[in-house]
Amino acid sequence: MKKAFRYLLIVLGIIVILVGGAAAFIAIRGIPTYKAENPDIKVAITADRIERGRQLSSMLCNDCHMNWDTKKLTGRKMDEVSQFGAVYSRNITKHPENGIGKWTDGQIIYLLKTGITPDGRFLPVMAKLHKMSDEDMHSIVAFLRSDNPWVQADATPNNESKYSFLSKFLTNFKIVKPAPYIKLVPEPDTTNQVRWGEYVALYRVECYTCHSADFATDDFIEPEKSKGFFGGGNKFKMPDGSVIYSRNLTMDEETGIGRWSEEEFVKAVRAGVVPNGQPAVRPPMKPYSDLTEGEAKAIYAYLKTIPKIKNPVERKF
């Protein structure tokens, strides 16, 4: 008996050493780096693309990169994802040193699709838009090259993110990893309302990232595999210390939006007002006024096709 107990202690000791060693390796190694590519792409800049890019930026980029002190996309501290550490979004103005002024169009697109910067750094919290259409992607680049005040060169320095052990664990074990670089992505079929809504919700506006269970369990490569897909409950820690949770957007009649009409959903998303007349959104979300009525209706049609989740999210209204 004593001999068996001694062997058990030895085995447990070995396990502790191995686990401790792995944890130390992960902590020291940090976020993995990757070989970055520079695709040979030159975006033709047109007025239509600049405007489309502005709309996409207002719904996708601004939430993370807009700094209200500079009123430009100079980056900020992202307190709402504090589980990943002290994370700072980057300066994406046209500044040649602190921004992306020297980046090629291909480098910008490669980052947007994969999450890998030109110097090989992987940004685990950044959106991975690998299935965004080429036209939408080129429109974002055209906007970033434009004369819009949001992107004018600003020397505001970048703050280096200090990632948590959770971030290092997820990225070293490839639970969170770069998305594949897909060279050609066609425009969505807008005649198929469900497929159009799927594209907008998953790859143009990325609604699922906030409205699933947790950023740490979001699947950027196969969004439908995200834990609690569109079931809400994702925790946001706000700068004032308060905590809010994302809304359940599945069609569950009791805890989701199953009793909302299409018209009520469109009004909530675009104007920020829910059926009872109260505000539908709170920071960090805002009304998506740049989302067209057709896009909002398409999202509603898509949400009707995904599995319902009963999740009574704590809300004040």
Side-chain angles (χ1 to χ4, degrees):
M1 185 67 180
K2 289 182 178 179
K3 190 174 183 180
F5 183 67
R6 186 167 62 251
Y7 286 149
L8 177 61
L9 288 179
I10 292 172
V11 170
L12 289 175
I14 293 172
I15 292 173
V16 168
I17 292 171
L18 291 175
V19 171
F25 171 78
I26 291 170
I28 294 170
R29 184 188 188 203
I31 306 297
T33 57
Y34 294 84
K35 179 178 174 55
E37 295 182 24
N38 183 10
D40 184 16
I41 300 172
K42 181 60 178 176
V43 173
I45 298 176
T46 67
D48 287 344
R49 277 182 170 170
I50 291 173
E51 175 54 21
R52 185 171 182 174
R54 184 201 64 77
Q55 293 170 349
L56 290 169
S57 178
S58 74
M59 297 185 290
L60 190 62
C61 309
N62 290 22
D63 286 345
C64 295
H65 291 276
M66 178 61 76
N67 183 317
W68 292 109
D69 291 330
T70 64
K71 295 182 173 57
K72 296 178 182 179
L73 300 181
T74 53
R76 65 176 180 85
K77 186 178 181 183
M78 300 178 65
D79 293 300
E80 64 271 29
V81 291
S82 58
Q83 66 267 46
F84 292 100
V87 179
Y88 295 86
S89 58
R90 310 291 293 184
N91 181 336
I92 57 171
T93 70
K94 296 193 292 183
H95 193 273
E97 303 301 332
N98 295 337
I100 59 173
K102 289 183 178 179
W103 292 22
T104 68
D105 294 348
Q107 287 172 327
I108 294 172
I109 290 172
Y110 191 76
L111 169 66
L112 291 173
K113 288 192 174 190
T114 67
I116 301 174
T117 65
D119 60 2
R121 287 179 298 114
F122 175 52
L123 306 180
V125 179
M126 183 173 169
K128 316 294 186 297
L129 306 174
H130 63 300
K131 291 186 179 179
M132 175 176 273
S133 75
D134 294 341
E135 186 56 41
D136 278 349
M137 191 66 71
H138 287 198
S139 294
I140 290 177
V141 173
F143 170 73
L144 293 173
R145 304 295 198 202
S146 75
D147 293 327
N148 188 285
W150 296 346
V151 297
Q152 290 312 292
D154 188 296
T156 299
N158 289 294
N159 291 296
E160 292 302 321
S161 296
K162 296 178 175 59
Y163 290 105
S164 65
F165 182 80
L166 173 64
S167 296
K168 297 172 185 178
F169 176 85
L170 292 172
T171 52
N172 274 279
F173 281 92
K174 304 254 184 320
I175 299 170
V176 174
K177 58 186 177 182
Y181 178 74
I182 302 175
K183 187 175 181 180
L184 299 173
V185 182
E187 285 282 82
D189 180 5
T190 57
T191 65
N192 184 325
Q193 195 176 40
V194 171
R195 295 283 76 81
W196 185 21
E198 177 185 34
Y199 172 78
V200 176
L202 303 188
Y203 305 115
R204 179 177 282 171
V205 188
E206 284 204 326
C207 309
Y208 77 93
T209 57
C210 292
H211 286 280
S212 296
D214 194 296
F215 288 117
T217 52
D218 282 341
D219 192 323
F220 289 104
I221 298 175
E222 297 182 78
E224 297 86 352
K225 292 184 178 180
S226 299
K227 182 179 179 181
F229 187 57
F230 276 108
N234 199 350
K235 182 179 178 181
F236 291 81
K237 185 177 180 182
M238 306 310 294
D240 63 2
S242 63
V243 173
I244 66 170
Y245 299 88
S246 61
R247 185 184 289 275
N248 181 345
L249 293 185
T250 70
M251 290 294 164
D252 181 71
E253 290 79 3
E254 299 300 326
T255 64
I257 61 171
R259 295 180 179 177
W260 289 19
S261 68
E262 177 188 72
E263 181 181 359
E264 288 169 335
F265 177 79
V266 171
K267 186 175 182 180
V269 173
R270 298 187 71 237
V273 179
V274 294
N276 63 8
Q278 293 179 310
V281 299
R282 296 170 292 180
M285 187 174 172
K286 61 185 183 302
Y288 278 22
S289 56
D290 277 314
L291 198 70
T292 68
E293 185 173 330
E295 289 170 331
K297 288 181 177 180
I299 293 174
Y300 182 80
Y302 169 66
L303 292 175
K304 290 176 69 175
T305 70
I306 67 175
K308 299 177 183 179
I309 295 177
K310 188 170 290 295
N311 183 23
V313 178
E314 177 186 343
R315 297 183 68 86
K316 294 180 180 179
F317 49 82

